[in-house]
């Protein structure tokens, strides 16, 4: 590991020197590429310097212990540094893990009511609110791209774009089937029902990064509709695009301009097609799935929200928290951190 860290330190120093050259400063594209490359190494270099400083502290403390007058002080310094060293080493191991190239990306999230009729749609609405609150706490922005409201509330389907710092890295484990156990609002008795909603999280893809043939598209335009079927405007501004070869359908009606809705719909289509292609690729490489927390498949039951017991359980990592009320208000950090920690553990063990 030390040899690899020394090479990273050397590369970082070379990039730092390169970034001071006038010809680089005058070339915006080169400056941007080199700056990003340097930034990607910065956290590792800073932590490695801290690690080397700790090693030096241990060496100095051991030498200082030879002096009888300084032995007590040196012993305390040595103990402190020796306790810090393995912590720093573990932090370096985590920083050296291969990065998910999508971690820094924005996401498109799709939530659908599944089993349970009206209650499933109401629960889908609750999940959307939970993620909206979480995004707000993170300082992210959220835009609804398409929504189909449930007859009794919530959503039969809702798709949104979440933008911000490292959104995918935090929410990438949310894909799957979410199960709720509670007395439904639509139930007159006190019987606990079980319903489900599915969540799909897709890293946003630049439309330039995926080839989509115009001849493969079927594009429909129609009146945008608001809550209760009210017409948002009288023009045909809403856009539905069907990718015929895969039968992938996307819809966007949030903009008043048909052109803007089409642009957003094409962005959604590119993201969905890329996500489907990645799922097929990973499925073909079966073993790769073993190094992940769950499969990310929308049919996989990943979490249960038990209202009578105020408990949330993530089944992939056998993690429970008795704070369902707080979780539904967007306080999902404990669950997300537990998932990230388990993912890192699996990667460190090479599973």
């Amino acid at each position: 590991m030390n040899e690899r860290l020394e090479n990273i330190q050397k590369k970082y120093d070379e990039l730092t020197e390169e970034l001071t050259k006038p010809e680089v400063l005058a070339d915006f594209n080169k400056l941007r590429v080199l700056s990003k490359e340097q930034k990607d190494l910065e956290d590792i270099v800073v932590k490695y310097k801290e690690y080397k400083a700790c090693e030096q502290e241990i060496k100095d403390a051991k030498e200082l212990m030879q002096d009888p007058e300084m032995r007590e002080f040196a012993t305390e310094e040595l103990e402190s540094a020796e306790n810090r060293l393995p912590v720093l080493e573990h932090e370096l191991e985590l920083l050296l893990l291969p990065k998910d190239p999508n971690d820094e990306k924005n996401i498109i999230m799709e939530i659908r009511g599944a089993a349970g009729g009206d209650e499933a749609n109401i629960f889908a609405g609750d999940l959307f609110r939970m993620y909206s609150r979480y995004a707000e706490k993170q300082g992210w922005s959220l835009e609804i791209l398409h929504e189909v409201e449930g007859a009794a509330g919530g959503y039969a389907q809702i798709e949104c774009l979440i933008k911000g710092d490292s959104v995918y890295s935090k929410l990438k484990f949310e894909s799957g089937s979410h199960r709720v156990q509670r007395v439904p609002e639509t139930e007159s008795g006190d019987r606990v029902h079980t319903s489900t909603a599915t969540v799909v999280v897709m890293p946003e893809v630049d439309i330039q990064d995926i080839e989509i043939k115009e001849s493969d598209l079927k594009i429909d335009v129609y009146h945008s509709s608001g809550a209760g079927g009210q017409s948002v405007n009288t023009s045909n501004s809403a856009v539905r695009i069907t990718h015929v070869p895969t039968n992938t359908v996307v819809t966007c009606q949030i903009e008043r301009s048909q052109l803007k809705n089409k642009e957003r719909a094409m962005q959604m289509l590119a993201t969905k097609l890329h996500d489907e292609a990645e799922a097929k690729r990973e499925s073909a490489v079966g073993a790769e799935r073993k190094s992940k927390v769950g499969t990310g498949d929308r049919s996989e039951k990943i979490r249960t929200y038990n209202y009578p017991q105020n408990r949330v359980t993530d089944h992939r990592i056998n993690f429970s928290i008795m704070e369902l009320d707080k979780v539904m208000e967007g306080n999902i950090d404990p669950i997300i951190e537990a998932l990230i920690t388990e993912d890192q553990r699996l990667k460190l063990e090479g599973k």
Side-chain angles (χ1 to χ4, degrees):
M1 187 175 76
N2 281 352
E3 183 179 351
R4 186 177 172 192
L5 288 166
E6 284 294 333
N7 288 334
I8 290 172
Q9 172 79 66
K10 183 180 177 182
K11 180 64 176 176
Y12 181 85
D13 292 340
E14 288 172 355
L15 287 166
T16 301
E17 185 179 349
E18 194 76 11
L19 286 166
T20 63
K21 294 180 179 178
E23 61 269 26
V24 173
L25 294 171
D27 186 337
F28 176 76
N29 286 331
K30 190 169 185 178
L31 179 66
R32 179 175 55 81
V33 170
L34 293 180
S35 295
K36 184 182 184 307
E37 192 175 350
Q38 185 201 44
K39 181 67 176 174
D40 289 342
L41 300 177
E42 190 170 17
D43 288 345
I44 297 174
V45 170
V46 169
K47 188 63 63 177
Y48 184 43
K49 286 180 179 178
E50 194 178 341
Y51 178 80
K52 288 196 292 186
C54 188
E55 283 187 320
Q56 187 62 46
E57 285 177 34
I58 291 173
K59 183 179 178 182
D60 293 344
K62 286 180 178 178
E63 290 180 1
L64 205 57
M65 286 180 70
Q66 305 306 315
D67 184 342
E69 295 182 3
M70 299 297 292
R71 185 168 297 149
E72 185 177 348
F73 170 77
T75 300
E76 291 179 3
E77 290 292 298
L78 179 62
E79 184 179 356
S80 174
E82 285 182 335
N83 286 337
R84 283 203 326 276
L85 194 67
V87 175
L88 292 169
E89 186 171 352
H90 179 65
E91 290 174 346
L92 278 170
E93 287 176 342
L94 294 179
L95 287 169
L96 287 172
L97 286 174
K99 291 188 181 296
D100 186 329
N102 293 319
D103 273 352
E104 303 301 316
K105 291 185 177 181
N106 302 321
I107 68 164
I108 289 178
M109 175 180 280
E110 174 189 286
I111 305 174
R112 292 174 181 259
D118 287 340
E119 168 63 5
N121 293 342
I122 292 170
F123 179 49
D126 293 338
L127 288 176
F128 174 69
R129 182 175 178 274
M130 178 186 79
Y131 290 122
S132 298
R133 291 291 180 89
Y134 179 68
E136 186 180 344
K137 293 173 188 293
Q138 296 294 311
W140 299 337
S141 66
L142 183 150
E143 301 173 39
I144 295 175
L145 299 172
H146 175 58
E147 59 183 330
V148 179
E149 295 183 358
Y155 299 98
Q157 177 185 355
I158 185 164
E159 292 170 281
C160 62
L161 171 65
I162 304 178
K163 293 182 177 181
D165 183 30
S166 304
V167 180
Y168 186 73
S169 70
K170 297 283 185 69
L171 295 179
K172 62 184 175 182
F173 300 119
E174 295 304 297
S175 289
S177 179
H178 295 240
R179 181 175 69 173
V180 63
Q181 294 175 326
R182 65 184 177 189
V183 178
E185 296 175 21
T186 53
E187 172 72 23
S188 57
D190 295 324
R191 189 164 64 91
V192 174
H193 286 236
T194 297
S195 304
T196 60
T198 60
V199 176
V200 180
V201 174
M202 299 166 282
E204 187 183 27
V205 174
D206 192 317
I207 196 169
Q208 306 299 326
D209 294 341
I210 184 167
E211 183 184 357
I212 302 176
K213 296 178 181 177
E214 194 74 26
S215 59
D216 288 340
L217 304 179
K218 179 177 180 291
I219 302 176
D220 300 304
V221 294
Y222 56 96
H223 289 334
S224 297
S225 297
Q230 296 174 337
S231 179
V232 175
N233 55 57
T234 57
S235 64
N236 290 331
S237 62
V239 176
R240 181 189 300 110
I241 301 177
T242 304
H243 185 253
V244 178
T246 60
N247 198 33
T248 302
V249 181
V250 294
T251 304
C252 187
Q253 60 179 43
I254 63 168
E255 303 284 357
R256 290 190 174 271
S257 160
Q258 183 187 126
L259 180 61
K260 288 184 177 179
N261 277 328
K262 182 182 177 183
E263 288 175 354
R264 284 182 175 273
M266 286 298 294
Q267 177 74 60
M268 293 167 67
L269 180 62
T271 296
K272 287 194 174 186
L273 291 177
H274 181 269
D275 185 67
E276 289 170 8
E278 283 295 293
K280 286 180 181 177
R281 182 186 65 81
E282 290 184 0
S283 179
V285 182
E288 185 180 340
R289 286 290 190 184
K290 295 178 183 177
S291 65
K292 296 187 175 183
V293 175
T295 64
D297 190 292
R298 72 178 69 190
S299 65
E300 180 191 15
K301 183 185 74 177
I302 65 167
R303 196 173 297 153
T304 294
Y305 303 73
N306 186 300
Y307 276 72
Q309 297 178 18
N310 197 38
R311 184 187 75 236
V312 182
T313 299
D314 196 289
H315 304 289
R316 296 165 294 180
I317 56 175
N318 197 27
F319 175 86
S320 290
I321 181 171
M322 309 300 287
E323 297 180 348
L324 171 61
D325 51 342
K326 294 180 181 178
V327 167
M328 299 313 290
E329 288 298 318
N331 297 302
I332 58 176
D333 270 323
I335 302 173
I336 287 174
E337 288 169 7
L339 288 163
I340 290 173
T341 299
E342 176 64 7
D343 182 59
Q344 290 172 338
R345 184 190 70 79
L346 291 172
K347 287 177 178 176
L348 284 172
E349 293 180 2
K351 291 185 178 179

